[in-house]
Coordinates of all heavy atoms in Angstrom, one line a residue:
M823 N 79.2 14.9 106.0 CA 78.4 14.6 107.3 C 77.0 15.1 107.1 O 76.8 16.3 106.8 CB 79.1 15.2 108.5 CG 78.6 14.7 109.8 SD 79.3 15.6 111.2 CE 81.0 14.9 111.1
N824 N 76.0 14.2 107.3 CA 74.6 14.7 107.2 C 74.1 15.0 108.6 O 74.7 14.8 109.6 CB 73.7 13.7 106.5 CG 73.7 12.4 107.2 OD1 73.7 12.3 108.4 ND2 73.6 11.3 106.5
I825 N 72.9 15.6 108.6 CA 72.3 16.1 109.9 C 72.1 15.0 110.9 O 72.4 15.2 112.1 CB 70.9 16.8 109.6 CG1 71.1 18.0 108.7 CG2 70.2 17.1 110.8 CD1 71.8 19.1 109.3
K826 N 71.7 13.8 110.4 CA 71.5 12.7 111.3 C 72.8 12.3 112.0 O 72.8 12.1 113.2 CB 71.0 11.5 110.5 CG 70.1 10.6 111.3 CD 69.5 9.5 110.4 CE 69.3 8.2 111.1 NZ 69.1 7.1 110.3
E827 N 73.8 12.3 111.3 CA 75.1 12.0 111.9 C 75.6 13.0 112.9 O 76.1 12.7 113.9 CB 76.2 11.9 110.8 CG 76.2 10.5 110.1 CD 77.2 10.5 108.9 OE1 77.2 11.5 108.2 OE2 78.0 9.6 108.9
I828 N 75.3 14.3 112.6 CA 75.6 15.3 113.5 C 74.9 15.2 114.8 O 75.5 15.2 115.9 CB 75.3 16.7 112.9 CG1 76.2 17.0 111.7 CG2 75.5 17.8 113.9 CD1 75.8 18.1 110.8
I829 N 73.6 14.9 114.7 CA 72.8 14.8 115.9 C 73.3 13.5 116.7 O 73.4 13.6 117.9 CB 71.3 14.6 115.6 CG1 70.8 16.0 115.0 CG2 70.5 14.2 116.8 CD1 69.5 16.0 114.4
Q830 N 73.6 12.5 116.0 CA 74.1 11.3 116.6 C 75.4 11.6 117.3 O 75.6 11.1 118.5 CB 74.3 10.2 115.5 CG 74.4 8.8 116.0 CD 73.1 8.3 116.7 OE1 72.1 8.4 116.1 NE2 73.2 7.9 117.9
N831 N 76.3 12.3 116.7 CA 77.5 12.7 117.3 C 77.3 13.5 118.6 O 78.0 13.2 119.6 CB 78.4 13.5 116.4 CG 79.2 12.7 115.4 OD1 79.3 11.4 115.6 ND2 79.8 13.3 114.5
I832 N 76.4 14.4 118.5 CA 76.1 15.2 119.7 C 75.6 14.4 120.8 O 76.0 14.5 122.0 CB 75.1 16.4 119.4 CG1 75.8 17.3 118.3 CG2 74.7 17.1 120.6 CD1 74.8 18.3 117.7
R833 N 74.6 13.5 120.5 CA 74.0 12.6 121.5 C 75.1 11.7 122.1 O 75.1 11.4 123.3 CB 72.9 11.8 120.9 CG 71.6 12.7 120.9 CD 70.6 12.0 120.1 NE 69.7 11.1 120.9 CZ 68.8 10.4 120.4 NH1 68.5 10.4 119.2 NH2 68.0 9.7 121.2
N834 N 75.9 11.2 121.2 CA 77.0 10.3 121.7 C 77.9 11.0 122.7 O 78.3 10.4 123.7 CB 77.8 9.8 120.6 CG 77.2 8.7 119.8 OD1 76.2 8.1 120.2 ND2 77.7 8.4 118.6
S835 N 78.2 12.2 122.5 CA 79.1 12.9 123.4 C 78.3 13.4 124.6 O 79.0 13.7 125.6 CB 79.8 14.1 122.7 OG 78.8 14.9 122.0
L836 N 77.0 13.4 124.6 CA 76.3 13.9 125.8 C 75.8 12.8 126.6 O 75.8 12.9 127.9 CB 75.1 14.8 125.3 CG 75.4 16.1 124.7 CD1 74.2 16.9 124.4 CD2 76.4 17.0 125.6
S837 N 75.3 11.7 126.0 CA 74.6 10.7 126.8 C 75.3 10.1 128.0 O 74.6 9.9 129.0 CB 74.2 9.5 125.9 OG 75.3 9.0 125.2
P838 N 76.6 9.9 128.0 CA 77.2 9.3 129.2 C 77.2 10.2 130.4 O 77.4 9.8 131.5 CB 78.7 9.0 128.8 CG 78.7 9.2 127.3 CD 77.6 10.1 127.0
H839 N 77.0 11.5 130.2 CA 77.1 12.4 131.3 C 75.8 13.1 131.5 O 75.1 13.5 130.5 CB 78.1 13.5 131.0 CG 79.4 13.0 130.4 ND1 80.4 12.5 131.1 CD2 79.8 12.9 129.1 CE1 81.4 12.0 130.3 NE2 81.0 12.3 129.1
K840 N 75.4 13.3 132.7 CA 74.1 13.9 133.0 C 74.3 15.5 132.8 O 73.5 16.2 132.3 CB 73.6 13.6 134.4 CG 73.1 12.2 134.4 CD 71.9 12.0 135.2 CE 71.2 10.7 134.9 NZ 70.5 10.1 136.0
E841 N 75.5 15.9 133.3 CA 75.8 17.3 133.1 C 76.7 17.5 131.9 O 77.4 16.5 131.5 CB 76.4 17.9 134.3 CG 75.4 18.2 135.4 CD 76.2 18.6 136.7 OE1 76.9 19.6 136.6 OE2 76.0 18.0 137.7
L842 N 76.7 18.6 131.4 CA 77.6 18.9 130.2 C 79.0 19.0 130.7 O 79.4 20.0 131.4 CB 77.1 20.2 129.6 CG 77.3 20.3 128.1 CD1 76.6 19.2 127.4 CD2 76.8 21.7 127.6
S843 N 79.8 18.0 130.4 CA 81.2 18.1 130.8 C 82.0 18.8 129.8 O 81.6 19.1 128.7 CB 81.8 16.6 130.9 OG 81.9 16.1 129.6
N844 N 83.2 19.2 130.2 CA 84.1 19.9 129.2 C 84.3 19.1 128.0 O 84.4 19.6 126.9 CB 85.5 20.2 129.9 CG 85.4 21.4 130.8 OD1 84.4 22.2 130.7 ND2 86.3 21.5 131.7
E845 N 84.4 17.8 128.2 CA 84.7 16.9 127.1 C 83.5 16.9 126.1 O 83.8 17.0 124.9 CB 84.8 15.5 127.7 CG 85.9 14.6 127.1 CD 85.9 13.3 127.7 OE1 86.0 13.2 129.0 OE2 85.8 12.3 127.0
A846 N 82.3 16.9 126.7 CA 81.2 16.9 125.8 C 81.1 18.2 125.0 O 80.8 18.2 123.8 CB 79.9 16.8 126.6
V847 N 81.4 19.3 125.7 CA 81.4 20.6 125.0 C 82.4 20.6 123.9 O 82.2 21.1 122.8 CB 81.7 21.8 126.0 CG1 81.8 23.1 125.3 CG2 80.5 21.8 127.0
L848 N 83.6 20.1 124.2 CA 84.7 20.1 123.2 C 84.3 19.2 122.0 O 84.5 19.6 120.9 CB 86.0 19.5 123.8 CG 86.8 20.5 124.5 CD1 88.0 19.8 125.2 CD2 87.3 21.6 123.6
G849 N 83.6 18.1 122.3 CA 83.1 17.2 121.3 C 82.1 17.9 120.4 O 82.2 17.8 119.2
F850 N 81.2 18.7 121.0 CA 80.2 19.4 120.3 C 80.9 20.5 119.4 O 80.5 20.6 118.3 CB 79.3 20.1 121.3 CG 78.1 20.8 120.7 CD1 77.3 20.1 119.8 CD2 77.8 22.1 121.0 CE1 76.3 20.8 119.2 CE2 76.8 22.7 120.5 CZ 76.0 22.1 119.5
L851 N 81.9 21.1 119.9 CA 82.6 22.2 119.1 C 83.3 21.5 118.0 O 83.3 22.1 116.9 CB 83.6 22.9 120.0 CG 83.0 23.9 121.0 CD1 84.1 24.5 121.8 CD2 82.2 25.0 120.3
R852 N 83.8 20.3 118.2 CA 84.5 19.7 117.1 C 83.5 19.3 116.0 O 83.8 19.4 114.8 CB 85.2 18.4 117.6 CG 86.7 18.4 117.3 CD 87.4 17.2 117.9 NE 87.6 17.4 119.3 CZ 87.5 16.6 120.3 NH1 87.0 15.4 120.1 NH2 87.8 16.9 121.6
V853 N 82.4 18.9 116.4 CA 81.3 18.6 115.4 C 81.0 19.8 114.6 O 80.9 19.8 113.4 CB 80.0 18.0 116.1 CG1 78.9 17.9 115.1 CG2 80.3 16.6 116.7
L854 N 80.8 20.9 115.3 CA 80.5 22.2 114.6 C 81.6 22.6 113.6 O 81.3 23.1 112.5 CB 80.2 23.3 115.6 CG 78.9 23.3 116.4 CD1 78.8 24.4 117.3 CD2 77.7 23.3 115.4
E855 N 82.8 22.3 114.0 CA 83.9 22.7 113.2 C 83.9 21.9 111.9 O 84.2 22.4 110.8 CB 85.2 22.4 114.0 CG 86.2 23.6 113.9 CD 87.1 23.6 115.1 OE1 87.2 22.6 115.8 OE2 87.8 24.6 115.2
N856 N 83.6 20.6 112.0 CA 83.6 19.8 110.9 C 82.5 20.2 109.9 O 82.7 20.2 108.7 CB 83.3 18.3 111.3 CG 84.5 17.6 111.9 OD1 85.6 18.0 111.5 ND2 84.2 16.7 112.7
V857 N 81.4 20.7 110.5 CA 80.3 21.1 109.6 C 80.7 22.4 108.9 O 80.5 22.5 107.7 CB 79.0 21.4 110.5 CG1 77.9 22.1 109.7 CG2 78.5 20.2 111.2
R858 N 81.4 23.3 109.6 CA 81.8 24.5 109.0 C 82.8 24.3 107.8 O 82.8 24.9 106.8 CB 82.4 25.4 110.0 CG 82.0 26.9 109.7 CD 82.7 27.9 110.6 NE 82.6 27.4 112.0 CZ 83.7 27.5 112.9 NH1 84.7 28.2 112.5 NH2 83.6 27.1 114.1
E859 N 83.7 23.3 108.0 CA 84.7 23.0 107.0 C 84.0 22.5 105.7 O 84.6 22.8 104.7 CB 85.6 21.9 107.5 CG 86.8 22.5 108.2 CD 87.7 21.4 108.9 OE1 87.7 20.3 108.4 OE2 88.2 21.8 110.0
E860 N 82.9 21.8 105.9 CA 82.3 21.3 104.7 C 81.5 22.3 104.0 O 81.1 22.2 102.8 CB 81.4 20.1 105.0 CG 82.2 18.8 105.1 CD 81.4 17.6 105.2 OE1 80.4 17.5 104.5 OE2 81.6 16.8 106.1
D861 N 81.2 23.4 104.7 CA 80.4 24.4 104.1 C 81.3 25.3 103.3 O 82.3 25.8 103.7 CB 79.8 25.3 105.3 CG 78.3 25.5 105.1 OD1 77.7 24.8 104.3 OD2 77.8 26.4 105.7
A862 N 81.0 25.5 102.0 CA 81.8 26.3 101.2 C 81.6 27.8 101.6 O 80.5 28.2 101.9 CB 81.3 26.2 99.7
S863 N 82.7 28.5 101.8 CA 82.6 29.8 102.2 C 82.3 30.8 101.1 O 82.5 30.5 99.9 CB 84.0 30.2 102.8 OG 84.9 30.5 101.8
C864 N 81.7 31.9 101.5 CA 81.3 32.9 100.5 C 82.5 33.3 99.6 O 82.4 33.5 98.4 CB 80.7 34.1 101.2 SG 79.1 33.7 101.9
T865 N 83.7 33.5 100.2 CA 84.8 33.9 99.5 C 85.2 32.9 98.4 O 85.5 33.2 97.2 CB 86.1 34.0 100.4 OG1 85.6 34.3 101.7 CG2 87.0 35.0 99.9
E866 N 85.1 31.6 98.8 CA 85.4 30.5 97.8 C 84.4 30.6 96.7 O 84.7 30.4 95.5 CB 85.2 29.2 98.5 CG 86.4 28.3 98.5 CD 86.2 27.1 99.3 OE1 86.3 27.2 100.6 OE2 85.9 26.0 98.8
I867 N 83.1 30.7 97.0 CA 82.0 30.7 96.0 C 82.2 31.9 95.1 O 82.2 31.8 93.9 CB 80.7 30.8 96.7 CG1 80.4 29.6 97.6 CG2 79.5 31.0 95.7 CD1 80.4 28.3 96.8
Y868 N 82.5 33.0 95.7 CA 82.7 34.3 95.0 C 83.8 34.2 93.9 O 83.6 34.6 92.8 CB 83.0 35.4 95.9 CG 82.9 36.8 95.3 CD1 81.7 37.4 95.3 CD2 84.0 37.4 94.8 CE1 81.5 38.7 94.7 CE2 83.9 38.7 94.2 CZ 82.6 39.3 94.2 OH 82.5 40.5 93.6
S869 N 84.9 33.5 94.2 CA 86.0 33.4 93.3 C 85.6 32.5 92.1 O 86.3 32.5 91.1 CB 87.2 32.8 94.0 OG 87.0 31.5 94.5
K870 N 84.6 31.6 92.3 CA 84.2 30.7 91.2 C 82.9 31.1 90.5 O 82.5 30.5 89.6 CB 84.1 29.3 91.8 CG 85.4 28.7 92.1 CD 85.2 27.3 92.7 CE 86.5 26.8 93.3 NZ 86.2 25.9 94.5
L871 N 82.4 32.2 91.0 CA 81.0 32.6 90.6 C 81.0 33.0 89.1 O 80.1 32.6 88.4 CB 80.5 33.8 91.4 CG 79.0 33.9 91.6 CD1 78.4 32.6 92.1 CD2 78.7 35.1 92.5
D872 N 82.1 33.7 88.6 CA 82.1 34.1 87.2 C 82.2 32.9 86.3 O 81.5 32.9 85.3 CB 83.2 35.1 87.0 CG 84.6 34.6 87.5 OD1 84.6 33.7 88.3 OD2 85.6 35.2 87.0
E873 N 82.9 31.9 86.8 CA 83.1 30.7 86.0 C 81.7 30.0 85.9 O 81.3 29.5 84.8 CB 84.0 29.8 86.8 CG 84.8 28.8 85.9 CD 85.7 27.9 86.7 OE1 86.3 28.4 87.6 OE2 85.6 26.7 86.5
Y874 N 81.0 30.0 87.0 CA 79.7 29.4 87.1 C 78.7 30.1 86.2 O 78.0 29.4 85.4 CB 79.2 29.4 88.5 CG 77.9 28.7 88.8 CD1 77.8 27.4 89.0 CD2 76.7 29.5 88.7 CE1 76.6 26.7 89.2 CE2 75.5 28.8 88.9 CZ 75.4 27.5 89.2 OH 74.2 26.9 89.4
V875 N 78.7 31.4 86.2 CA 77.8 32.2 85.4 C 78.1 32.0 83.9 O 77.2 31.9 83.1 CB 77.8 33.6 85.9 CG1 77.0 34.5 84.9 CG2 77.3 33.8 87.3
E876 N 79.4 31.9 83.6 CA 79.7 31.7 82.2 C 79.2 30.4 81.7 O 78.7 30.3 80.6 CB 81.3 31.8 82.1 CG 81.7 33.2 81.6 CD 83.2 33.3 81.6 OE1 83.9 32.4 81.0 OE2 83.8 34.2 82.2
C877 N 79.3 29.4 82.5 CA 78.8 28.1 82.2 C 77.3 28.2 81.9 O 76.8 27.6 80.9 CB 79.0 27.1 83.4 SG 80.4 26.1 83.3
E878 N 76.6 28.9 82.7 CA 75.2 29.0 82.5 C 74.8 29.8 81.3 O 73.9 29.4 80.5 CB 74.6 29.7 83.8 CG 73.3 29.0 84.1 CD 72.9 29.2 85.5 OE1 72.6 30.4 85.9 OE2 72.8 28.3 86.3
V879 N 75.6 30.8 81.0 CA 75.3 31.6 79.8 C 75.6 30.8 78.5 O 75.0 30.9 77.5 CB 76.2 32.9 79.8 CG1 76.1 33.6 78.5 CG2 75.7 33.8 80.9
D880 N 76.6 29.9 78.6 CA 77.0 29.0 77.5 C 76.0 27.8 77.4 O 76.2 26.9 76.6 CB 78.4 28.4 77.7 CG 79.5 29.4 77.4 OD1 79.2 30.4 76.9 OD2 80.6 29.1 77.8
K881 N 75.0 27.8 78.2 CA 74.0 26.8 78.2 C 74.5 25.4 78.7 O 74.0 24.4 78.3 CB 73.3 26.6 76.9 CG 72.7 27.9 76.4 CD 71.2 28.1 76.8 CE 70.6 29.4 76.3 NZ 70.9 30.6 77.2
K882 N 75.6 25.5 79.5 CA 76.1 24.3 80.0 C 75.3 24.0 81.3 O 74.8 25.0 81.9 CB 77.6 24.4 80.3 CG 78.4 24.3 79.1 CD 79.9 24.4 79.5 CE 80.8 24.8 78.3 NZ 82.0 25.5 78.7
D883 N 75.4 22.8 81.8 CA 74.7 22.5 83.0 C 75.5 22.9 84.2 O 76.2 22.1 84.9 CB 74.4 21.0 83.1 CG 73.3 20.7 84.1 OD1 72.9 21.6 84.9 OD2 72.8 19.5 84.1
A884 N 75.5 24.2 84.5 CA 76.3 24.7 85.6 C 76.1 24.1 86.9 O 77.0 23.8 87.7 CB 76.2 26.2 85.7
A885 N 74.8 23.9 87.2 CA 74.4 23.3 88.5 C 75.0 21.9 88.7 O 75.3 21.5 89.8 CB 72.9 23.3 88.7
R886 N 75.1 21.2 87.6 CA 75.7 19.8 87.7 C 77.2 19.8 87.7 O 77.8 19.0 88.4 CB 75.2 18.9 86.6 CG 74.8 17.6 87.2 CD 74.3 16.6 86.1 NE 75.2 16.5 85.0 CZ 74.8 16.0 83.8 NH1 73.6 15.5 83.7 NH2 75.6 15.9 82.8
L887 N 77.8 20.8 87.0 CA 79.2 20.9 87.0 C 79.8 21.4 88.3 O 80.8 21.0 88.7 CB 79.7 21.8 85.8 CG 79.5 21.3 84.4 CD1 79.7 22.4 83.4 CD2 80.4 20.1 84.1
M888 N 79.0 22.3 88.9 CA 79.5 22.9 90.2 C 78.3 22.9 91.2 O 77.8 23.9 91.5 CB 80.0 24.3 89.9 CG 81.3 24.4 89.2 SD 81.7 26.1 88.7 CE 81.4 26.1 87.0
P889 N 78.0 21.7 91.7 CA 76.9 21.6 92.6 C 77.0 22.3 93.9 O 76.1 22.8 94.4 CB 76.8 20.0 92.8 CG 78.1 19.5 92.5 CD 78.7 20.4 91.4
L890 N 78.3 22.5 94.3 CA 78.5 23.2 95.6 C 78.1 24.6 95.5 O 77.6 25.2 96.4 CB 80.0 23.1 95.9 CG 80.4 21.9 96.8 CD1 81.9 22.0 97.1 CD2 79.6 21.8 98.1
I891 N 78.3 25.2 94.3 CA 78.0 26.6 94.1 C 76.5 26.8 94.1 O 75.9 27.6 94.7 CB 78.7 27.1 92.9 CG1 80.2 27.1 93.1 CG2 78.2 28.6 92.6 CD1 81.0 27.7 92.0
R892 N 75.8 25.9 93.3 CA 74.4 25.9 93.2 C 73.8 25.8 94.6 O 72.9 26.5 95.0 CB 74.0 24.7 92.3 CG 72.5 24.6 92.1 CD 71.9 25.7 91.3 NE 71.2 26.6 92.2 CZ 70.7 27.8 91.8 NH1 70.9 28.2 90.6 NH2 70.1 28.6 92.7
E893 N 74.3 24.9 95.4 CA 73.8 24.6 96.7 C 74.0 25.9 97.6 O 73.1 26.3 98.3 CB 74.6 23.5 97.4 CG 73.8 22.4 98.0 CD 74.7 21.3 98.4 OE1 75.4 21.4 99.5 OE2 74.8 20.3 97.6
H894 N 75.1 26.5 97.5 CA 75.4 27.7 98.3 C 74.5 28.8 97.8 O 74.0 29.6 98.7 CB 76.9 28.1 98.1 CG 77.2 29.2 99.0 ND1 77.6 29.1 100.3 CD2 77.3 30.6 98.8 CE1 77.9 30.3 100.8 NE2 77.7 31.2 99.9
L895 N 74.2 29.0 96.6 CA 73.4 30.1 96.1 C 72.0 29.9 96.6 O 71.3 30.9 96.8 CB 73.4 30.1 94.5 CG 74.7 30.5 93.9 CD1 74.6 30.4 92.4 CD2 75.1 31.9 94.3
D896 N 71.6 28.7 96.8 CA 70.2 28.4 97.4 C 70.1 28.9 98.8 O 69.0 29.3 99.2 CB 69.9 26.9 97.3 CG 69.5 26.5 95.9 OD1 69.1 27.4 95.1 OD2 69.6 25.3 95.6
I897 N 71.2 28.8 99.5 CA 71.1 29.1 101.0 C 71.6 30.5 101.3 O 71.4 31.0 102.4 CB 71.8 28.0 101.8 CG1 73.2 27.9 101.4 CG2 71.0 26.7 101.8 CD1 74.1 27.1 102.4
C898 N 72.4 31.1 100.4 CA 73.1 32.3 100.8 C 72.5 33.5 99.9 O 72.8 33.5 98.7 CB 74.6 32.2 100.6 SG 75.5 33.7 101.1
H899 N 71.8 34.4 100.6 CA 71.2 35.5 99.9 C 72.2 36.4 99.2 O 72.0 36.8 98.1 CB 70.3 36.2 100.9 CG 69.6 37.4 100.3 ND1 68.5 37.2 99.4 CD2 69.7 38.7 100.4 CE1 68.1 38.3 99.0 NE2 68.8 39.3 99.6
E900 N 73.2 36.7 99.9 CA 74.2 37.6 99.4 C 74.9 37.1 98.1 O 75.0 37.9 97.1 CB 75.3 37.9 100.5 CG 75.0 38.9 101.5 CD 76.0 39.0 102.6 OE1 77.2 39.1 102.3 OE2 75.5 38.8 103.8
C901 N 75.3 35.9 98.1 CA 76.0 35.3 97.0 C 75.0 35.2 95.8 O 75.3 35.4 94.7 CB 76.6 34.0 97.3 SG 78.0 34.1 98.3
C902 N 73.7 34.9 96.2 CA 72.7 34.8 95.1 C 72.5 36.1 94.4 O 72.3 36.2 93.2 CB 71.4 34.3 95.8 SG 70.3 33.6 94.5
E903 N 72.5 37.2 95.2 CA 72.3 38.5 94.6 C 73.5 38.8 93.6 O 73.3 39.4 92.5 CB 72.2 39.6 95.7 CG 70.8 39.7 96.2 CD 70.7 41.0 97.0 OE1 71.7 41.6 97.3 OE2 69.5 41.3 97.3
E904 N 74.7 38.5 94.1 CA 75.9 38.7 93.3 C 75.8 37.9 92.0 O 76.2 38.4 90.9 CB 77.1 38.2 94.2 CG 78.4 38.8 93.7 CD 78.4 40.3 93.8 OE1 78.0 40.9 94.9 OE2 78.8 40.9 92.8
Y905 N 75.3 36.7 92.2 CA 75.2 35.8 91.0 C 74.2 36.4 90.0 O 74.5 36.4 88.8 CB 74.7 34.4 91.5 CG 74.0 33.6 90.5 CD1 74.7 32.9 89.5 CD2 72.6 33.4 90.6 CE1 74.0 32.1 88.6 CE2 71.9 32.6 89.7 CZ 72.6 32.0 88.7 OH 71.9 31.2 87.8
E906 N 73.1 36.9 90.5 CA 72.1 37.4 89.6 C 72.6 38.7 88.9 O 72.4 38.9 87.7 CB 70.8 37.7 90.3 CG 69.9 36.5 90.4 CD 68.8 36.6 91.4 OE1 68.6 37.7 92.0 OE2 68.2 35.5 91.7
A907 N 73.4 39.5 89.6 CA 74.0 40.7 89.0 C 74.9 40.3 87.9 O 74.9 40.8 86.8 CB 74.7 41.5 90.1
L908 N 75.8 39.3 88.2 CA 76.7 38.8 87.2 C 76.0 38.2 85.9 O 76.4 38.5 84.8 CB 77.6 37.7 87.8 CG 79.0 38.1 88.2 CD1 79.6 37.0 89.1 CD2 79.9 38.3 87.0
L909 N 75.0 37.5 86.2 CA 74.2 36.9 85.1 C 73.6 38.0 84.2 O 73.7 37.8 83.0 CB 73.1 36.0 85.7 CG 72.5 35.0 84.8 CD1 73.5 34.0 84.3 CD2 71.3 34.2 85.5
D910 N 73.1 39.0 84.8 CA 72.6 40.1 84.1 C 73.6 40.7 83.2 O 73.4 41.0 82.0 CB 72.1 41.2 85.0 CG 70.7 41.0 85.5 OD1 70.1 40.0 84.9 OD2 70.2 41.7 86.3
V911 N 74.8 41.0 83.7 CA 75.9 41.6 83.0 C 76.3 40.8 81.8 O 76.4 41.2 80.6 CB 77.1 41.8 83.9 CG1 78.3 42.3 83.0 CG2 76.8 42.8 85.0
L912 N 76.4 39.4 82.0 CA 76.8 38.6 80.9 C 75.7 38.4 79.9 O 76.0 38.3 78.7 CB 77.2 37.2 81.5 CG 78.6 37.1 82.1 CD1 78.9 35.7 82.6 CD2 79.7 37.5 81.1
N913 N 74.5 38.4 80.3 CA 73.4 38.3 79.3 C 73.3 39.5 78.5 O 73.0 39.4 77.3 CB 72.1 38.1 80.1 CG 71.9 36.6 80.4 OD1 72.4 35.7 79.7 ND2 71.1 36.3 81.5
E914 N 73.6 40.7 79.1 CA 73.6 41.9 78.3 C 74.7 41.8 77.2 O 74.5 42.2 76.1 CB 73.9 43.1 79.2 CG 72.7 43.6 80.0 CD 71.6 44.0 79.0 OE1 71.8 44.8 78.1 OE2 70.4 43.5 79.2
K915 N 75.9 41.3 77.6 CA 77.0 41.2 76.7 C 76.6 40.3 75.5 O 76.9 40.6 74.4 CB 78.2 40.6 77.4 CG 79.2 41.6 77.8 CD 80.6 40.9 78.0 CE 81.1 41.3 79.4 NZ 82.2 40.4 79.8
E916 N 75.9 39.2 75.8 CA 75.5 38.3 74.8 C 74.7 38.9 73.7 O 74.8 38.6 72.5 CB 74.7 37.1 75.4 CG 75.6 36.2 76.2 CD 76.3 35.2 75.3 OE1 75.6 34.3 74.7 OE2 77.5 35.2 75.3
K917 N 73.8 39.8 74.2 CA 72.8 40.4 73.2 C 73.5 41.3 72.2 O 73.1 41.5 71.1 CB 71.8 41.3 74.0 CG 70.7 40.5 74.6 CD 69.7 41.4 75.3 CE 69.1 40.7 76.5 NZ 68.5 41.6 77.4
K918 N 74.7 41.9 72.6 CA 75.3 42.9 71.7 C 76.1 42.2 70.6 O 76.4 41.1 70.6 CB 76.3 43.8 72.5 CG 75.5 44.8 73.3 CD 76.3 45.6 74.3 CE 75.4 46.3 75.2 NZ 76.2 46.8 76.4
Ligands
ZN43 ZN1 77.6 33.1 100.4

């Protein structure tokens, strides 16, 4: 679901009512829930992070093989730090 669709959904659930009805609120919550489901969670990313970093160290196109992880690293500071730390460790290993 893209942002435009989300806004459309929110407007659709709001427009028939001048005041915010319970139904509209529930609709809005449902929309938010869908968004969250599509968002990869940090735990999920974390469990695949070593795989991702290994790909990168092997000079494979990690970002293309695992676009969800790349995307998450762009938006999540914590996971990105974790990723950089892992990358450092593996790069050190390579040198030896
Ligand atoms: Zn994260």
Side-chain angles (χ1 to χ4, degrees):
M823 194 185 287
N824 61 35
I825 297 292
K826 206 173 151 196
E827 278 175 313
I828 293 166
I829 293 169
Q830 198 64 54
N831 273 352
I832 294 166
R833 280 170 88 181
N834 281 348
S835 49
L836 292 184
S837 56
H839 318 277
K840 290 221 159 143
E841 280 175 58
L842 211 58
S843 70
N844 283 340
E845 220 179 308
V847 173
L848 276 176
F850 185 51
L851 285 178
R852 234 174 281 138
V853 169
L854 284 181
E855 226 155 13
N856 284 334
V857 173
R858 218 186 315 142
E859 268 171 32
E860 277 189 49
D861 229 17
S863 74
C864 291
T865 333
E866 235 175 284
I867 296 299
Y868 194 85
S869 66
K870 289 177 190 151
L871 208 54
D872 51 343
E873 208 183 314
Y874 183 87
V875 174
E876 264 174 52
C877 264
E878 221 160 64
V879 172
D880 284 348
K881 305 271 179 274
K882 288 180 197 156
D883 198 348
R886 222 182 48 198
L887 290 170
M888 290 173 251
L890 271 182
I891 296 184
R892 179 66 259 172
E893 230 170 80
H894 185 85
L895 292 177
D896 283 339
I897 55 163
C898 181
H899 181 68
E900 277 170 55
C901 289
C902 196
E903 276 193 350
E904 200 60 49
Y905 154 76
E906 276 166 7
L908 257 166
L909 199 61
D910 275 351
V911 171
L912 282 179
N913 277 333
E914 277 305 306
K915 257 200 236 166
E916 287 280 293
K917 279 184 210 160
K918 281 170 195 168

